[in-house]
Amino acid sequence: TMASPDDLKFQEFEEATDLLLADPGASTLSMSGSSSTAPAGATGDIKLDLSDDEGQEESSELLRGEKQTSGFWTFEYYQSFFNVDTMQVLDRVKGSVMPLPGRNFIKNTLQSSPDLYGPFWICVTLVFSLAISGNLSTFLNSLGSPHNHYRPQFHRVTIAAVVIFLYAWLVPLGVWGFLTWRQREERQQSGYSFLETVCVYGYSLFIYIPTSVLWILPFEWLRWLLIMVAMVISGSVLVLTFWPVVRDDTKVTAFATVATIVVLHALLSIGCKMYFFQTATPVLTLAPNHTAAILTNKTH
């Protein structure tokens, strides 16, 4: 007997069920024609099950959306500013100690991609460098004097940390705020972000790390010479970076802004030298017979 069309459809369903039981992960393809005796070349409806791929695509879009909407209060926002390799940091350190005329540190070295990794560790290293070198300098000054007893001054670490980190954050904040205000007043479009300003200030402090180590040498003329060299190098980085932003302003405002940046930078270096590397003061000593004579005169 010849099978009816219904029997053929049921048998096809049983074969598909057996295949799914043998391999549950297999994808299915169902084809249905308008009639069992469709002519050659006629096309039927083809349905593909792509639910898995669509789900993965939707989840990827969701993840991309979450990454784009992360705010500045989230950890992911700041994580990108620490995502730098060693060669990038070394290249930026090299740019901070070798300023060239016409070379903008933010545009040419940072390339509008600031990081906080380099400035953070430069500030930490400078804090310990100032504190340790200052203690060693005090120890060397106390040698050869029986009346000077060296005592480690651990509070210098705290003072150095407060001074360096306040300078590396508050001064860039003030500079960025002032420049942003002036750009709005003058309707200028170009400018730097706050993180770019912090980054250039942080890298400009690198030159003071080797300078503070050399300040251990007990030669006052050498210390002042090193201060001048360090101020010229680090100050040039700041001037070459911020001058293109303020030169379109009025002459008084432009020169006053650059002068304020240089003066604050000079005050930091001179203040660190005067506090952490004090010049040894001579101690007045009296001979025993002279002291006895003074006491005798007082009794009479």
Side-chain angles (χ1 to χ4, degrees):
T1 60
M2 183 171 293
S4 62
D6 296 335
D7 294 337
L8 291 175
K9 290 182 180 179
F10 184 76
Q11 184 178 1
E12 181 182 358
F13 176 75
E14 285 184 344
E15 292 178 356
T17 304
D18 294 338
L19 291 174
L20 288 175
L21 291 176
D23 189 4
S27 59
T28 59
L29 175 65
S30 61
M31 302 176 62
S32 60
S34 58
S35 64
S36 60
T37 59
T43 59
D45 296 334
I46 299 177
K47 299 179 180 180
L48 297 177
D49 187 8
L50 300 176
S51 58
D52 294 339
D53 296 336
E54 292 177 356
Q56 293 178 358
E57 195 171 341
E58 291 176 359
S59 62
S60 300
E61 293 177 355
L62 180 61
L63 291 176
R64 287 196 297 267
E66 290 178 355
K67 185 176 181 181
Q68 293 175 356
T69 58
S70 59
F72 67 92
W73 59 86
T74 60
F75 177 77
E76 289 79 7
Y77 178 81
Y78 296 97
Q79 187 177 7
S80 61
F81 297 108
F82 289 86
N83 188 18
V84 290
D85 54 22
T86 305
M87 296 305 299
Q88 285 179 317
V89 175
L90 292 178
D91 182 66
R92 294 174 179 186
V93 168
K94 180 181 176 181
S96 67
V97 297
M98 298 178 61
L100 299 176
R103 185 174 180 83
N104 190 317
F105 185 82
I106 292 180
K107 299 297 183 181
N108 301 114
T109 305
L110 295 183
Q111 297 179 353
S112 300
S113 179
D115 71 282
L116 296 178
Y117 180 86
F120 174 77
W121 286 111
I122 287 174
C123 291
V124 171
T125 307
L126 182 58
V127 166
F128 286 98
S129 176
L130 285 172
I132 295 174
S133 300
N135 276 277
L136 288 177
S137 177
T138 305
F139 172 75
L140 294 177
N141 290 333
S142 64
L143 292 178
S145 178
H147 298 278
N148 288 340
H149 300 285
Y150 170 73
R151 293 180 181 178
Q153 300 176 353
F154 297 105
H155 66 278
R156 289 185 174 184
V157 178
T158 305
I159 295 175
V162 172
V163 172
I164 296 301
F165 277 96
L166 284 181
Y167 176 83
W169 283 94
L170 290 185
V171 174
L173 178 62
V175 172
W176 170 78
F178 177 77
L179 294 179
T180 303
W181 172 69
R182 291 302 301 174
Q183 288 164 8
R184 292 178 180 177
E185 291 290 328
E186 299 295 330
R187 295 182 179 180
Q188 299 175 1
Q189 300 295 329
S190 61
Y192 303 138
S193 66
F194 172 65
L195 291 177
E196 288 176 338
T197 308
V198 172
C199 189
V200 67
Y201 263 88
Y203 278 103
S204 68
L205 294 176
F206 177 82
I207 190 62
Y208 289 102
I209 296 177
T211 302
S212 62
V213 175
L214 294 176
W215 278 345
I216 299 176
L217 300 176
F219 303 105
E220 197 65 17
W221 64 269
L222 180 61
R223 292 175 178 176
W224 285 108
L225 178 62
L226 292 173
I227 286 179
M228 297 302 296
V229 173
M231 284 194 301
V232 169
I233 293 176
S234 58
S236 299
V237 174
L238 298 177
V239 171
L240 292 174
T241 300
F242 291 104
W243 175 250
V245 180
V246 300
R247 65 184 175 186
D248 294 332
D249 208 330
T250 61
K251 291 184 178 180
V252 176
T253 304
F255 283 102
T257 303
V258 174
T260 303
I261 293 174
V262 173
V263 168
L264 290 176
H265 208 63
L267 288 176
L268 174 71
S269 58
I270 296 175
C272 289
K273 189 271 172 191
M274 298 297 293
Y275 179 79
F276 294 99
F277 301 89
Q278 299 175 359
T279 306
T281 57
V283 179
L284 179 61
T285 58
L286 298 176
N289 54 356
H290 187 64
T291 306
I294 294 176
L295 292 176
T296 303
N297 292 331
K298 286 185 178 181
T299 55
H300 292 288

